[in-house]
Amino acid sequence: MKYLPLVWAGLWRKPARTMFTILSVMVAFILFGILAGIDAGFDSLLARSRMDRLFTDPRFGAPMPISYGEQIAKIPGVTVVAPRWALGGYYQEPTNNIAVLGTDERFFAARTEITVTKEQMETLRRTRTGAIVGVATARKYGWKVGDKFPMQSSMPKQDGSRVWTFDVIAIMESGDAPGLEGRIVVNYDYLDEERVALKGVADRFILRIDDPGRATQISRAIDNLFANSSAPTRTISERSSRESGVNWIGDINFFTDAVLGAVAFMLLFLTGNTMMQSVRERTPEFAVLKTLGFSDSRVIILVFAESVALCAVAALAGLVSLSS
Amino acid sequence: MIPLVKDVIPGAGLVQMPWIAIVTGLALALAVAFVSGLLPAMRAKRLSIIDALAGR
């Protein structure tokens, strides 16, 4: 600690050079933090996904008749079948993209991580235009219970208007990702009655099964059931669905490691060059220190201390600025 | 900065800053500091006092 002033003085001998080096290291570690964050985000997304939750989607894009739900529910092992129809649009500005999920209380039985009370579900059932809004969306647009929000959609209503208005009856939270729930759940019946086309269809069935180990077998049974129909299905577990989504983006771990390797290599040269220049410029000063009795090991410690201070302070500043 | 990213980029709720990333980052910074300080430290150790003071 008593050599701290010496280290400090050595670092700030050329303030501009030190500042630029610190900024470079900071930027490198901000990049590191973002990549590590994305990597961790994907890992946690996969860890939260379930094998006992299946998605039945249209195999070729044609929406599925809502009656598929009853047939799927009869397959042994299926405990919940929730139909869903997603209606996209925007709120106020075309850049504010939102989508509402037309479904019913079975949606919450299939997604048990969402915390909604029985009273709130009952209110949704009674309020035709009711909407239970995810906490993240409510926070983003400043919506509160009792508010109305219009959604401009490409799907016309019976009255010719394309503006769908909903009443916020509750705010929902997800136990798996606190503060991040963004879905908007509305009554399927309301969407189905009001839309002028595509009546009585669903774009997805969300299922729960009693045994995650039978996910593949049950998926196959469902798809076989509708294989020769006008709307064949493709059933996949939530985990498989997310894994294929992540794999589609690419090998995230490889990208992260490759960028980190490049960053570390660049930093090595950057800080090495800075320290080399600094030591070269101060050769007479080190000679004076040695004359005064500084041993070789103390001189080495001084140089290392400068190098560590330069890197560690900048890295800490970069990482803390990211997480704060 | 991550909360800012989450507000600006839809779906960026994925991005998290785990504590292990901070620890790994600091370990990486220390490793880089040691490796990059090695050559200058050796140079400072080996310098000849007489030559250095004479400016040679």
Side-chain angles (χ1 to χ4, degrees):
Chain A
M1 283 302 274
K2 66 179 175 180
Y3 298 127
L4 206 61
L6 264 180
V7 174
W8 187 253
L11 271 179
W12 295 103
R13 196 166 185 273
K14 288 275 172 79
R17 184 174 62 200
T18 303
M19 274 312 296
F20 281 124
T21 307
I22 286 177
L23 281 176
S24 307
V25 177
M26 257 184 83
V27 169
F29 276 91
I30 285 174
L31 179 67
F32 163 83
I34 289 176
L35 284 173
I38 290 173
D39 199 21
F42 278 122
D43 285 348
S44 109
L45 185 73
L46 291 179
R48 287 199 309 263
S49 54
R50 295 161 184 262
M51 278 300 284
D52 65 347
R53 185 152 53 210
L54 307 182
F55 298 143
T56 298
D57 295 324
R59 182 170 286 275
F60 302 116
M64 303 165 290
I66 196 84
S67 58
Y68 276 20
E70 290 164 23
Q71 297 177 64
I72 294 170
K74 287 177 188 161
I75 290 176
V78 175
T79 55
V80 178
V81 182
R84 190 203 79 174
W85 173 265
L87 179 65
Y90 63 84
Y91 170 65
Q92 291 182 336
E93 299 291 332
T95 49
N96 296 335
N97 290 314
I98 56 173
V100 295
L101 306 179
T103 182
D104 55 33
E105 65 273 12
R106 287 174 291 178
F107 177 83
F108 300 106
R111 292 199 174 276
T112 44
E113 71 276 15
I114 293 176
T115 49
V116 174
T117 64
K118 280 183 179 172
E119 291 74 29
Q120 288 169 331
M121 277 195 269
E122 182 56 35
T123 311
L124 179 67
R125 201 178 302 127
R126 278 190 279 107
T127 315
R128 194 165 168 263
T129 56
I132 300 182
V133 180
V135 65
T137 304
R139 189 174 55 233
K140 185 176 179 183
Y141 297 116
W143 296 342
K144 301 180 297 297
V145 173
D147 285 354
K148 281 181 186 290
F149 70 91
M151 184 183 79
Q152 182 79 34
S153 172
S154 57
M155 172 69 76
K157 289 169 39 182
Q158 293 289 347
D159 61 4
S161 156
R162 290 174 191 271
V163 179
W164 296 71
T165 305
F166 299 96
D167 297 283
V168 180
I169 58 125
I171 307 291
M172 64 183 175
E173 177 66 289
S174 168
D176 278 356
L180 297 178
E181 181 55 56
R183 283 171 281 225
I184 304 172
V185 174
V186 302
N187 283 309
Y188 175 87
D189 289 344
Y190 170 57
L191 296 191
D192 199 46
E193 286 161 17
E194 280 293 323
R195 60 187 170 191
V196 293
L198 296 169
K199 284 185 174 291
V201 293
D203 61 5
R204 169 171 278 183
F205 289 98
I206 304 165
L207 285 56
R208 284 302 286 267
I209 56 174
D210 56 3
D211 180 8
R214 292 183 58 226
T216 310
Q217 190 187 343
I218 293 173
S219 299
R220 206 167 289 146
I222 294 167
D223 294 343
N224 286 342
L225 190 62
F226 306 111
N228 296 317
S229 69
S230 58
T233 59
R234 179 175 179 269
T235 305
I236 190 170
S237 72
E238 183 180 62
R239 180 166 300 172
S240 304
S241 168
R242 285 183 177 172
E243 275 172 354
S244 64
V246 170
N247 289 339
W248 184 79
I249 296 170
D251 189 342
I252 302 292
N253 281 331
F254 172 74
F255 288 144
T256 311
D257 292 346
V259 174
L260 287 186
V263 165
F265 198 65
M266 183 206 71
L267 282 183
L268 213 59
F269 281 98
L270 182 79
T271 49
N273 183 50
T274 303
M275 289 307 300
M276 204 67 188
Q277 270 190 332
S278 173
V279 167
R280 196 180 294 130
E281 285 165 7
R282 288 184 290 152
T283 304
E285 291 171 28
F286 283 115
V288 170
L289 288 179
K290 283 190 165 186
T291 311
L292 290 173
F294 273 63
S295 63
D296 284 347
S297 56
R298 282 196 180 164
V299 170
I300 288 175
I301 288 171
L302 271 181
V303 176
F304 270 131
E306 271 183 46
S307 180
V308 167
L310 196 67
C311 281
V313 168
L316 197 65
L319 293 169
V320 168
S321 73
L322 254 184
S323 55
S324 63
Chain B
M1 198 174 285
I2 280 181
L4 190 73
V5 171
K6 283 176 184 168
D7 283 347
V8 174
I9 305 170
L14 269 180
V15 183
Q16 300 168 354
M17 188 64 180
W19 64 268
I20 192 80
I22 297 180
V23 174
T24 311
L26 282 178
L28 182 71
L30 286 179
V32 167
F34 274 109
V35 176
S36 62
L38 199 65
L39 221 62
M42 286 300 124
R43 186 190 165 94
K45 181 198 162 196
R46 287 191 195 129
L47 67 85
S48 152
I49 297 174
I50 296 166
D51 286 347
L53 289 176
R56 288 197 287 256

